[in-house]
């Protein structure tokens, strides 16, 4: 039970905090959110750079990269070794998911938006909130150091399936793994780092839920909350239920690796050439169950907040009331609920009982339903709108377009017989980048462009923002769309060099094309980086509500002071009163007094 | 105008995406040849889903682009004020629901055929494949159907034949493979047979297929069995298994008929016998 | 404090005490049930004993939850937390059952599990 | 430790519960899932072992688990739950002295629990019932009939190493342990038994005996396990503790589960004890007052949860 001091007593008389308390060990949710934002973006660069290395290898399997050998002794001279390749795509995915998307969506936007959008002064437990950020630091440090430990960082994919990840020598023979050089200390670092990420997220989610349940401003009923808050709420619920399971799985694997427990090692142990593990007794498949029990809900953790944010952004710039507010909320709840019973779709070919496969398939395909409801409601919101093409809006629209592609490819894999062919091919890689990169990341970009003025009091440069958007949209499609095609041709994923295979001869040209697009995509991000930093100091200053938006955060000054609101806002209506014909303006903030002649809305 | 430009930009990219899928089959970027009895079913289901998803892709894309074009910003106008529409909500819940249910249900029987142990046909040929870092160790009994195949899969017999990474069978044979692994997870993937199955440490997993086309013939000149150049059917490993994952390659030899297979088997036995002495485990004394 | 119940404090202590006694007795019951099912005695079948022991554990947990953790009073305010999590917890264990426990195992196949453990007794 | 004081100040919306309590319940949700995953893992792994065979799950006796000690610990935790709830009750009434006394008792009971646990763990270490240490034998096909195919004696062990490498690890472990036992002071009879086993494990001496006429082959790990178990049984009867790894089917898995589950439970108990110490210290410096009733309730919620976990762990590990 962590604890907070009362803000009600000191709300209007803040003692000036020192630099350290104000910007580093801050308990202010906005500062913590921005801290998450900066760390997430830095890790995005690292993860992205790794992705480019991955692409280089696939596009030019025989090519050489001069600096690799100098930095990382494990590689083969000027070329990447296959082990090294395994390491970089594993770390690419790990960093992108656990150190970029989740911290950005829930950490940065969750922290920044929740209290502001429900009209609270801060999170329920500011100290806990601070701790949730600082518990990320051991994870940051460990995951970065793990590149340089003996054997290199983890290299068993972001899924870290045993036994490749977990095989160890018998007690007393050190932490080497007979399975792969990366499964020794590097894997241990991976596990420990993720445990820290998990603890951090768990603290965050308890805090978010409590805040949303108990600290809403007067008048802010549940069904007056903006979808961003709803999505954060549902995400927090997902996290609090799913994360502990991952934590257990991580700890069990950690025990397997360090003290020779046998949770994932089958009876009799396994043999690697002339090296052998200790005795066994457990079940290899158990890890996959525990892992996906978390990680499937986790993919919704990585999309729901983006969906919520995008809904708000679309409404703001479409100047239109959200179409079907309650169905949207129910759809999110439905996705979350169903999300818990579909994890087996990652395991159709894993040797899981095929009868379970049928059940998981039915559940999985049904999850397209709430997603359909969301998609059609977005489209209906745009219908008859008055769309302002700001950078934030463009990114949000791209989210909608790309999520449909990513979601529809999910249906192929959900169908068990088709998945027999498609599983672990580039079709999956295409799917996951469409939903993760092209949906979640576009959602994040949209959120950054949208809330930037609230965070820093200045807008980002719109022109460069649009250039960045257009190029990103173009190149990311060029990078990831052809992956569907090579997936259909059977190109397995996680392949260091596919030119060995006769049936893939045709598609190598596409691989080269994708690599070039990916490099251009990487260069494009420099525009974003420069725009972001430049605008911090030189962006146009703006007032409290530059987008003429309705939600509560725009009622606070930009950037909001400690304590957020000059006076506690009173909420009088839902967040989507745009284009109401009964009033003169085309928007009506949640806090504004009821204009005369307008009937009070039902909710 | 600059406003409407964005809808064209979106439209162009979505159209490009659509066209790439339309063109791909004609330039060889598509499903590999299909030589398995259940393969056509898999492909049919693939096309069914492609049809539905293609339809919804075009539908949503068209609506999005049209709305972006039609409802781009105009000063001094207001958007339509609607909060929702129950009938529409129900419609776009129920229609996809029916389609999705149809998609889901249509999968079940094919899945059943491919994977359920109970519905696997009686094998004409039994073999046991052990995956390991990084090759496939194929074990053949000295006859196509060993007695008590399941037990044979567990306990090697003395006259078994081991071949690294070469899978031999004949056209039309119901082949059953008992799939094992010696170390980590691997996955037996044959694109042309539309077959994929992970090998799970500690378990023995039955897999079956029936090839509908042959690719192997006897070359009297060299005395070897040759694969047709245009029908090289590779086995790939589809589950990350360490550094050599990408080169864990196998080759499928489908003989014309059982006679050919038996002929090949005899040859293989002969070859194995001549290799025998060095291969045996540490000295065995017979008395 | 937001306890909106109206029973007197002494009633509460009484309730606590009875729960405490009940818990102790239940512990003894499960111990005895196990003892009685020991192969040497086999007064009851292992299944009966299993049912008793698990039933007792559930009852004990409910007692602690309801009385000690004040769910009796707070139920109306926290049920929306507890019900989903209970379903989730049960489901997680049950869904794994068919897979790990019966997948690719005897019954369908003529042989013992792929790896069996032999003879040390 | 003060309380969260956002209780509906300024007319905030929310459910009529103190924020701290909401958060505590939500925290318990994550804890429930945590232990569900652990316990679920155990149940599943356990049911995944072959049932109705002699090689099923180890019995408590095999792994030196004493049921009544577990029951005693259950009782200890129940008592402590009772005292914590009394402490909260006293705090509501403002009787801080009683609060201190009850928290003190709870702390003591918690310590008793951990001491008993430590005692149990110690027994495991003494008997070498640790993950990765226990003899787990592999499927040994029928022993070849005498005279049919015989391994050259001196190479038998080599062959074992090749065929059953994991068993050989146990083989080596027992060998070292026996050598240590040989040097210790135990009843002569037992010592002789150990020496004999050691001798039989030695391929050289087996070969020597074979030379002398009687056919002998060195023991394989499964047989070593059998013999080690016999010796252990005799030692137990004689009241001697031998540090010798037993052979127990699925013993490694059992001890993995046992240590993981009870270990994490014990960590939670320890966490609770730290909180109690803090409360006591606050009381000692006079900072504890009726305003802390809420905090005591939250502490209690946590402690009861830890109790409930044990209520399930006890039957699952010791009884069923
Ligand atoms: C944000 C992340 C995210 C999201 C939202 C999703 C969403 C979905 N995913 Fe995805 N998935 C991943 C991230 C995500 N996934 C990742 C990272 C992996 C790979 C993990 C790894 O192995 O490394 C993966 C892998 C993966 C697999 C495993 C493939 C394999 O390994 O063999 C499957 C299989 O069923 C699947 C299915 C689905 C489905 C059905 C949805 C659905 O939710 C999608 C629903 C949406 C729509 C369907 C579109 C909108 C709807 C309409 C326009 C209505 C009309 C449509 C119809 C009638 C069809 N995903
Ligand atoms: C949110 C998650 C996320 C994101 C954003 C990305 C982004 C990208 N991913 Fe990744 N990816 C995954 C999650 C993600 N990926 C996952 C889960 C896997 C599965 C891993 C597994 O199999 O275990 C995967 C696997 C994966 C593969 C398959 C590897 C294989 O199976 O062999 C490939 C290959 O092309 C790839 C490429 C890319 C590319 C080109 C990007 C680009 O979009 C990145 C663009 C961003 C940048 C480039 C950053 C900015 C860069 C600069 C500013 C450059 C300038 C700086 C310097 C030069 C120092 N990813
Ligand atoms: Cu074997 Cu990948
Ligand atoms: Cu999934």
């Amino acid at each position: 039970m962590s604890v907070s001091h009362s803000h009600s007593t000191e709300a209007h008389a803040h003692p000036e905090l020192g630099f350290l308390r104000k910007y580093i060990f801050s308990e202010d949710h906005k500062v913590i959110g921005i801290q998450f934002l900066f760390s997430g973006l830095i890790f995005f660069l690292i993860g992205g750079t790794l992705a480019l290395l991955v692409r280089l290898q696939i596009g030019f399997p025989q090519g050489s990269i001069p600096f690799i050998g100098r930095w990382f002794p494990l590689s083969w001279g000027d070329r990447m070794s296959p082990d090294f390749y395994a390491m970089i795509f594993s770390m690419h995915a790990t960093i992108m998911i656990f150190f970029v998307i989740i911290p950005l969506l829930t950490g940065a936007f969750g922290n920044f938006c929740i209290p502001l959008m429900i009209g609270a002064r801060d999170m329920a437990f500011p100290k806990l909130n601070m701790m949730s950020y600082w518990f990320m630091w051991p994870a940051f440090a460990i995951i970065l150091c793990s590149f340089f430990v003996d054997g290199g960082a983890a290299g068993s994919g972001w899924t870290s399936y045993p036994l490749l990840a977990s095989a160890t020598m018998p007690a007393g023979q050190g932490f080497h793994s007979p399975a792969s050089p990366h499964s020794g200390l590097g894997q241990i670092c991976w596990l420990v780092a993720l445990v820290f990420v998990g603890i951090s997220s768990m603290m965050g989610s308890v805090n978010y839920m409590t805040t949303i349940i108990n600290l809403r401003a007067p008048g802010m009923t549940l069904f007056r909350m903006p979808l961003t808050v709803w999505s954060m709420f549902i995400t927090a619920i997902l996290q609090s239920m799913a994360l502990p399971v991952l934590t257990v799985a991580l700890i069990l694997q950690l025990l397997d690796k360090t003290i020779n427990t046998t949770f994932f090692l089958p009876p009799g142990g396994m043999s690697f050439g002339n090296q052998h593990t200790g005795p066994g007794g457990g079940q290899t498949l158990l890890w996959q169950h525990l892992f996906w029990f978390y990680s499937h809900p986790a993919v919704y953790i990585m999309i729901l907040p983006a969906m919520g944010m995008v809904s708000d952004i679309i409404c703001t710039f479409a100047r239109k009331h959200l179409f079907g507010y309650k169905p949207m909320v129910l759809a999110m709840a439905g996705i979350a609920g169903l999300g818990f019973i579909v994890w087996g779709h990652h395991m159709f070919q894993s040797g899981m009982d095929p009868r379970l496969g049928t059940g998981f398939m039915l559940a999985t395909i049904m999850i397209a339903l709430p997603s359909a409801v969301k998609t059609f409601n977005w489209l209906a919101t745009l219908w008859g709108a008055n769309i302002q093409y700001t950078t934030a809006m463009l990114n949000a629209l791209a989210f909608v377009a790309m999520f449909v592609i990513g979601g529809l490819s999910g249906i192929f894999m959900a169908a068990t017989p088709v998945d027999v062919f498609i599983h672990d091919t580039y079709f999956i890689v295409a799917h996951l980048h469409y939903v993760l990169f092209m949906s979640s990341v576009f959602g994040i970009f949209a959120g950054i462009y949208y809330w930037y003025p609230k965070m820093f009091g200045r807008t980002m440069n719109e022109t460069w923002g649009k250039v960045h958007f257009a190029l990103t949209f173009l190149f990311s499609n060029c990078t990831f769309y052809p992956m569907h095609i090579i997936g259909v041709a059977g190109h397995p994923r996680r392949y260091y060099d596919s030119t060995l295979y006769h049936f893939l001869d045709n598609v190598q040209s596409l691989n080269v094309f994708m690599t070039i697009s990916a490099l251009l995509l990487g260069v494009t991000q420099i525009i974003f980086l420069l725009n972001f930093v430049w605008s911090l100091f030189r962006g146009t200053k703006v007032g409290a509500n530059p987008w003429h938006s309705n939600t509560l955060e725009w009622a606070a000054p930009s950037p909001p002071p400690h304590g957020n609101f000059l006076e506690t806002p009173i909420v009088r209506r839902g967040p989507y009163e745009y284009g109401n014909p009964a009033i003169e303006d085309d928007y009506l903030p949640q806090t504004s007094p009821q204009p005369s002649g307008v009937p009070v809305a039902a909710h | 105008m600059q406003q409407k430009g964005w809808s064209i930009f979106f439209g162009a990219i979505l159209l490009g995406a659509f066209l790439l899928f339309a063109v791909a089959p004609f330039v060889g970027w598509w499903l590999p040849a299909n030589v398995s009895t259940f393969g056509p079913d898999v492909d049919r289901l693939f096309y069914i889903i492609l049809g539905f998803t293609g339809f919804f892709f075009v539908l949503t894309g068209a609506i999005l682009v049209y709305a972006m074009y039609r409802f781009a910003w105009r000063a001094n106008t207001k958007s339509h004020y609607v909060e929702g529409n129950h009938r529409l909500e129900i419609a776009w819940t129920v229609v996809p629901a029916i389609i999705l249910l149809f998609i889901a249900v249509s999968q079940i029987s094919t899945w059943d055929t491919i994977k359920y142990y109970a519905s696997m046909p009686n094998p004409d040929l039994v073999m046991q494949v052990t995956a390991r870092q990084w090759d496939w160790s194929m074990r053949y009994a000295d006859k196509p159907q060993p007695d008590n195949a399941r037990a044979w899969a567990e306990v090697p017999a003395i006259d078994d034949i081991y071949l690294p990474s070469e899978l031999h069978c004949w056209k039309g044979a119901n082949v059953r493979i008992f799939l094992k692994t010696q170390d980590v997870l691997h996955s037996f993937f044959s694109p042309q047979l539309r077959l994929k199955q992970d090998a799970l440490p500690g378990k023995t997993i039955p897999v079956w297929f029936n090839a509908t086309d042959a690719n192997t013939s006897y070359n009297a000149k060299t005395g070897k069995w040759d694969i047709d150049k245009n029908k090289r059917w590779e086995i790939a490993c589809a589950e990350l298994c360490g550094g050599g994952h990408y080169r864990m390659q196998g080759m499928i030899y489908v003989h014309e008929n059982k006679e050919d297979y038996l002929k090949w088997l005899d040859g293989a036995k002969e070859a194995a016998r001549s290799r025998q002495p060095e291969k045996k485990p540490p000295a065995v004394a017979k008395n | 404090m937001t306890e909106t119940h109206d029973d007197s404090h002494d009633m509460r202590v009484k309730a606590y005490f009875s729960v405490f006694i009940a818990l102790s007795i239940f512990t003894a019951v499960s111990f005895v049930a196990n003892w009685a099912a020991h192969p040497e005695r086999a007064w009851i079948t292992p299944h009966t004993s299993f049912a008793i022991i698990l039933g007792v554990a559930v009852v004990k947990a409910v007692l602690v939850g309801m009385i000690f953790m004040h769910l009796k009073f707070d139920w109306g305010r926290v049920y929306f937390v507890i019900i989903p999590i209970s379903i989730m917890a049960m489901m997680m264990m049950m869904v794994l059952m068919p897979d790990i426990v019966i997948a690719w195992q005897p019954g369908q196949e003529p042989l013992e599990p792929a790896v069996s453990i032999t003879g040390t007794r | 430790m003060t309380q969260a004081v956002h209780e509906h100040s300024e007319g905030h919306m929310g459910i009529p519960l103190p924020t701290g309590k909401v958060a505590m319940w939500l925290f318990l949700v994550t804890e429930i899932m945590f232990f569900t995953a652990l316990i679920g893992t155990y149940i599943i792994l356990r049911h995944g072992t072959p049932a109705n065979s002699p090689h099923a799950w180890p019995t408590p006796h095999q792994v030196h688990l004493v049921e009544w000690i577990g029951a005693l610990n259950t009782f200890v935790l129940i008592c402590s739950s009772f005292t914590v709830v009394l402490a909260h009750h006293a705090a509501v009434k403002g009787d801080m002295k009683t609060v201190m006394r009850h928290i003190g008792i709870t702390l003591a009971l918690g310590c008793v629990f951990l001491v008993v646990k430590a005692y149990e763990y110690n027994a495991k270490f003494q008997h070498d019932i640790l993950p990765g240490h226990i003899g787990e034998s592999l499927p040994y096909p029928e022993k070849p009939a005498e005279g049919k195919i015989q391994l050259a004696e001196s190479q038998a062990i080599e062959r074992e190493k090749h065929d059953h490498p994991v068993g050989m690890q146990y083989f080596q472990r027992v060998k070292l342990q026996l050598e240590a036992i040989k040097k210790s002071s135990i009843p002569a009879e037992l010592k002789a038994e150990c020496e004999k086993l050691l001798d039989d494990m030695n391929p050289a001496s087996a070969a020597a005996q074979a030379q002398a006429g009687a056919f002998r082959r060195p023991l394989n790990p499964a047989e070593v396990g059998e013999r080690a178990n016999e010796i252990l049984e005799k030692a137990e009867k004689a009241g001697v503790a031998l540090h010798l790894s037993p052979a127990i089917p699925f013993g490694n898995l059992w001890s993995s589960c046992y240590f993981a589950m009870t270990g994490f439970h014990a960590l939670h108990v320890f966490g609770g004890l730290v909180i109690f110490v803090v409360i006591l210290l606050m009381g000692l410096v006079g900072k504890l007052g009726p305003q802390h009733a809420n905090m005591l309730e939250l502490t209690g919620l946590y402690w009861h949860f830890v109790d409930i976990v044990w209520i399930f762990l006890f039957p699952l590990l010791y009884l069923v």
Side-chain angles (χ1 to χ4, degrees), chain A residues 55 85 92-93 96 101 158 426 433 437 483 493-494:
Chain A
R55 274 312 330 163
Y85 176 75
H92 156 65
M96 283 297 194
I101 300 293
W158 79 284
Y426 261 79
H433 284 97
F437 182 80
M483 286 185 185
R493 64 193 278 203
R494 297 166 171 181

Side-chain angles (χ1 to χ4, degrees), chain B:
Chain B
M1 194 51 231
Q2 190 234 354
Q3 301 276 328
K4 303 227 185 230
W6 286 112
S7 65
I8 295 165
F9 179 59
F10 269 64
I13 286 186
L14 293 180
L15 187 68
F18 181 79
L19 285 182
L20 182 56
F21 246 77
V23 166
F26 303 104
V27 290
W29 296 335
W30 204 240
L31 292 164
N34 185 339
V35 297
S36 141
T37 46
F38 49 68
D41 280 341
V42 173
D43 289 5
R44 182 175 50 81
L45 293 168
F46 175 82
Y47 286 115
I48 291 179
I49 299 179
L50 188 62
F52 281 120
T53 51
F55 169 75
F56 276 103
F57 173 65
V58 172
L59 179 76
T60 52
I63 297 178
L64 180 73
V65 172
Y66 179 74
M68 283 177 70
Y69 181 82
R70 167 84 198 284
F71 303 108
W73 173 258
R74 274 170 301 165
N76 304 324
T77 38
K78 269 191 184 179
S79 61
H80 304 188
Y81 185 78
V82 272
E83 293 185 22
N85 181 326
H86 273 289
R87 244 187 263 158
L88 265 179
E89 299 286 351
I90 291 172
W92 63 47
T93 314
V94 171
V95 174
I98 295 170
I99 295 175
L100 289 168
L101 253 167
F102 169 76
I103 293 180
V105 171
S106 59
Q107 314 292 325
I108 294 177
S109 70
T110 309
W111 176 245
D112 177 322
T113 317
I114 302 177
K115 292 273 165 138
Y116 281 22
Y117 191 84
S119 52
M120 291 185 184
N122 283 332
D124 302 317
L125 169 63
V126 173
M127 53 186 298
Q128 195 260 309
V129 175
T130 304
R132 59 187 182 203
Q133 288 175 333
W134 289 284
D135 68 0
W136 304 92
S137 160
M138 317 270 182
R139 179 158 70 91
Y140 299 82
D142 66 338
K143 53 188 176 191
Q145 289 159 293
D147 314 321
N148 194 358
R150 186 66 186 83
W152 170 81
E154 296 306 328
V155 187
I158 200 130
D159 31 20
D160 288 343
I161 299 158
Y162 293 85
L163 274 184
S165 305
E166 279 186 26
L167 195 161
H168 289 261
C169 63
W170 70 89
K171 188 172 139 187
N174 286 323
V175 183
R176 177 160 318 164
I177 297 175
F178 288 102
L179 190 58
K180 291 206 221 184
T181 166
Q182 185 187 316
D183 35 52
V184 300
L185 288 169
H186 300 271
S187 190
F188 183 95
F189 176 32
S190 161
Q192 286 82 4
L193 292 172
R194 303 286 188 269
L195 182 61
K196 189 178 285 134
Q197 175 61 56
D198 285 12
L200 200 56
K203 299 245 157 138
T204 306
I205 298 180
V207 178
W208 83 278
F209 65 86
N210 185 333
T212 56
D213 194 5
N215 68 350
T216 309
S217 56
Y218 189 69
N219 185 337
K221 248 190 253 146
T222 55
K224 283 188 183 141
W225 294 89
D226 283 350
I227 283 193
D228 186 339
K229 268 212 195 68
N230 300 319
K231 295 183 183 173
R232 289 177 44 197
W233 300 331
E234 285 138 322
I235 300 168
C237 178
E239 188 64 68
L240 181 62
C241 53
H245 170 53
Y246 73 101
R247 58 181 156 87
M248 200 164 147
Q249 198 172 24
M251 194 58 90
I252 297 175
Y253 293 76
V254 185
H255 295 264
E256 207 48 68
N257 46 40
K258 189 168 181 181
E259 285 66 51
D260 270 11
Y261 173 83
L262 290 175
K263 192 168 150 201
W264 164 81
L265 189 67
D266 282 339
K269 272 189 227 168
E270 204 49 54
R273 209 160 294 142
S274 57
R275 276 202 306 268
Q276 207 70 200
E278 327 120 54
K279 254 204 75 188
K280 271 278 168 192
V284 167
K286 286 204 175 151
N287 47 341

Side-chain angles (χ1 to χ4, degrees), chain A residues 292 295-297 299-300 339 342-346 364 431:
Chain A
W292 290 117
S295 286
H296 184 80
V299 307
Y300 295 115
V342 301
W343 77 85
H345 65 218
H346 297 273
T364 303
H431 163 74

